[in-house]
Amino acid sequence: MKQHQKMLLGIGIGTVAGIAANLLAGGAPWLEWVVTNITGLVGQLFLRLLLMLVVPLLFSALVMGVCELDLKQVGRLGLRTLGYTVVVSSIAVFIGLLLVNTLRPGDGLSDEARALAMKGTSVQAAPAPSSTSVPSLIAAMVPNNPVKAAAEGDMIALIVFSLLFGLGLALTDTPAAKRLRDTVQGLYDVMMKLIDGVLKLAPIGVGALLFSMMARLGMSVLMQVASYVGVVLLALGLHMFVVYSLSVRFLGGRNPVAFFRDCRLAIVTAFSTASSSATLPTALKVAEENLKLPRNVARFVLTAGSAMNQNGTALFEGVTVLFLAQVFGVQLSLPDQAVIMFICVLAGIGTAGVPAGSIPVIAMILGMFKIPPEGLALVLGVDRFLDMCRTTLNVTGDLAAAVYVARGESGSSSS
């Protein structure tokens, strides 16, 4: 069996076993013990093994990607990647807002679900955009301590440092600098070898993650907010299979069916881990080995995209805010929704690529528009599942962006 088939088998077994355990023994102390001490531990170990590799991989991949480019290419790649991200993220949020306004999932919510919403939640809101000036936001992108930025998971700051380090290394023509370049390349090679080893454990790891989630939640939580879940999945599906297909075909010059087939391993990994950062190693492997993208372009676009090109996150945030506004009867005008769309696009660029990274941003937007943040209790019940789905969109979007950017660079191939 191929790697993605083994992972799909792990997802299937874990999901079915978890649902069965919830139906037969939901709430039983022994099941909670198994989830906490066995399956939960196995799943977290797999996730942490992937996340462990992200910082050294992101640094080495981006540094080597910049070293293999000339200075004009760096600026051109950066502008094309950022421009693509803003446009496609805007389309994603627009699709989400259009569907929520048309289908209105928050209007038909049951009294039971509304009661659940009023139980409240203790999510810490992200700072509002108005509380931070543009100059300070730009200044925050440049770390005063890159080691601290890496330790705290500040991927934007780490990307900026890696870009500057790569530029400095590319401009330094000394024997010591050449040895350092070989060392960084060696670090990248070691990380990719470790990834191969971790992915061999993936079927067990993803099965454990899915079992733990379904054993605790079951299907009842999904059914309580089924209309909301349905709108989110419909919006994600339209963006993934319509917008990305059009992008890959007309901007990337490739067959969309072949593109999705080549991306299977990254898609399954993204769905399993619910983390763009954890999927970065697999995405790089897919881009170079399956999509045959130029190595320097793939490293540059995917490492930056894992932190910035979060289409699914932007879409999810917009849908969730409007859904909760409908639940609590808060009327949002078109200008209000335009502001929400703008914030979601910006937040999609800056949201941490880890599970539930968008929840604090949603809490911040709810506060700005006087929507009771207690409503997040409704969303948190199904967030892990929706996080898996939107992360799949994020990672696929990174690969679609890499295909588009690579087409304009010499040495790219198309199929």
Side-chain angles (χ1 to χ4, degrees), residues 132-156:
T132 311
S133 65
V134 173
S136 63
L137 283 173
I138 295 173
M141 294 172 64
V142 181
N144 53 17
N145 185 339
V147 176
K148 182 181 178 184
E152 294 178 348
D154 186 352
M155 291 303 173
I156 300 293

Side-chain angles (χ1 to χ4, degrees), residues 3-4 7 57 188 192 195-196 199 254 257-270 278-295 297-299 302 395-400 402-403 413 415:
Q3 185 65 42
H4 72 275
M7 291 179 69
L57 178 69
Y188 177 83
M192 295 304 287
I195 289 154
D196 286 336
L199 286 179
R254 289 183 177 235
V257 175
F259 168 78
F260 286 112
R261 184 178 65 242
D262 290 339
C263 295
R264 286 174 297 187
L265 180 57
I267 288 171
V268 173
T269 305
T279 311
L280 174 61
T282 312
L284 284 165
K285 185 179 177 69
V286 164
E288 293 184 22
E289 296 179 8
N290 296 0
L291 294 174
K292 309 295 184 189
L293 298 179
R295 188 173 62 178
V297 175
R299 291 176 179 180
L302 291 177
V395 171
T396 308
D398 293 342
L399 291 164
V403 166
S413 60
S415 62

Side-chain angles (χ1 to χ4, degrees), residues 11-12 28 43 109 122 134 149 204 293 355 382 411:
I11 289 173
L109 210 63
S122 58
V134 173
I204 298 171
L293 298 179
V382 295

Side-chain angles (χ1 to χ4, degrees), residues 26-318:
W30 70 265
L31 180 59
E32 183 61 29
W33 186 91
V34 168
V35 169
T36 302
N37 296 287
I38 300 178
T39 59
L41 176 62
V42 171
Q44 284 303 309
L45 283 174
F46 168 67
L47 197 56
R48 290 171 77 93
L49 281 170
L50 282 174
L51 289 170
M52 176 184 71
L53 305 176
V54 169
V55 168
L57 178 69
L58 186 150
F59 172 75
S60 58
L62 203 48
V63 168
M64 293 312 300
V66 171
C67 281
E68 293 170 359
L69 300 168
D70 60 43
L71 293 181
K72 291 180 181 178
Q73 269 189 303
V74 172
R76 187 168 66 246
L77 286 179
L79 286 174
R80 293 186 74 193
T81 303
L82 182 60
Y84 179 92
T85 296
V86 171
V87 170
V88 178
S89 291
S90 300
I91 293 172
V93 179
F94 178 76
I95 289 173
L97 298 188
L98 181 65
L99 287 178
V100 177
N101 281 300
T102 303
L103 301 176
R104 304 195 65 80
D107 289 348
L109 210 63
S110 67
D111 292 337
E112 180 189 359
R114 290 180 193 276
L116 174 64
M118 296 313 296
K119 289 182 179 178
T121 179
S122 58
V123 173
Q124 180 67 41
S130 58
S131 67
T132 311
S133 65
V134 173
S136 63
L137 283 173
I138 295 173
M141 294 172 64
V142 181
N144 53 17
N145 185 339
V147 176
K148 182 181 178 184
E152 294 178 348
D154 186 352
M155 291 303 173
I156 300 293
L158 182 59
I159 285 170
V160 170
F161 170 73
S162 302
L163 284 171
L164 293 175
F165 190 93
L167 285 171
L169 192 57
L171 292 171
T172 307
D173 189 19
T174 65
K178 290 177 181 176
R179 288 195 296 272
L180 179 56
R181 185 183 299 191
D182 290 339
T183 300
V184 176
Q185 178 63 51
L187 175 62
Y188 177 83
D189 293 340
V190 170
M191 291 302 104
M192 295 304 287
K193 178 61 70 174
L194 287 174
I195 289 154
D196 286 336
V198 173
L199 286 179
K200 287 182 170 63
L201 304 174
I204 298 171
V206 301
L209 284 170
L210 268 293
F211 177 88
S212 301
M213 182 183 75
M214 298 311 299
R216 280 185 168 144
L217 298 180
M219 296 300 292
S220 59
V221 177
L222 285 173
M223 298 311 296
Q224 284 180 328
V225 284
S227 57
Y228 161 71
V229 173
V231 169
V232 174
L233 294 182
L234 177 60
L236 293 174
L238 285 173
H239 194 71
M240 182 157 175
F241 295 111
V242 177
V243 176
Y244 286 164
S245 292
L246 292 173
S247 168
V248 168
R249 181 67 189 91
F250 294 105
L251 299 180
R254 289 183 177 235
N255 183 331
V257 175
F259 168 78
F260 286 112
R261 184 178 65 242
D262 290 339
C263 295
R264 286 174 297 187
L265 180 57
I267 288 171
V268 173
T269 305
F271 182 79
S272 308
T273 62
S275 170
S276 299
S277 297
T279 311
L280 174 61
T282 312
L284 284 165
K285 185 179 177 69
V286 164
E288 293 184 22
E289 296 179 8
N290 296 0
L291 294 174
K292 309 295 184 189
L293 298 179
R295 188 173 62 178
N296 52 0
V297 175
R299 291 176 179 180
F300 184 95
V301 177
L302 291 177
T303 49
S306 67
M308 297 172 62
N309 188 31
Q310 306 273 346
N311 301 165
T313 298
L315 185 157
F316 170 77
E317 290 168 356

Side-chain angles (χ1 to χ4, degrees), residues 93 97 322 333-345 369:
V93 179
L97 298 188
L322 262 66
S333 64
L334 285 178
D336 288 339
Q337 295 190 33
V339 172
I340 290 171
M341 179 172 172
F342 177 69
I343 295 172
C344 289
V345 171
F369 290 92

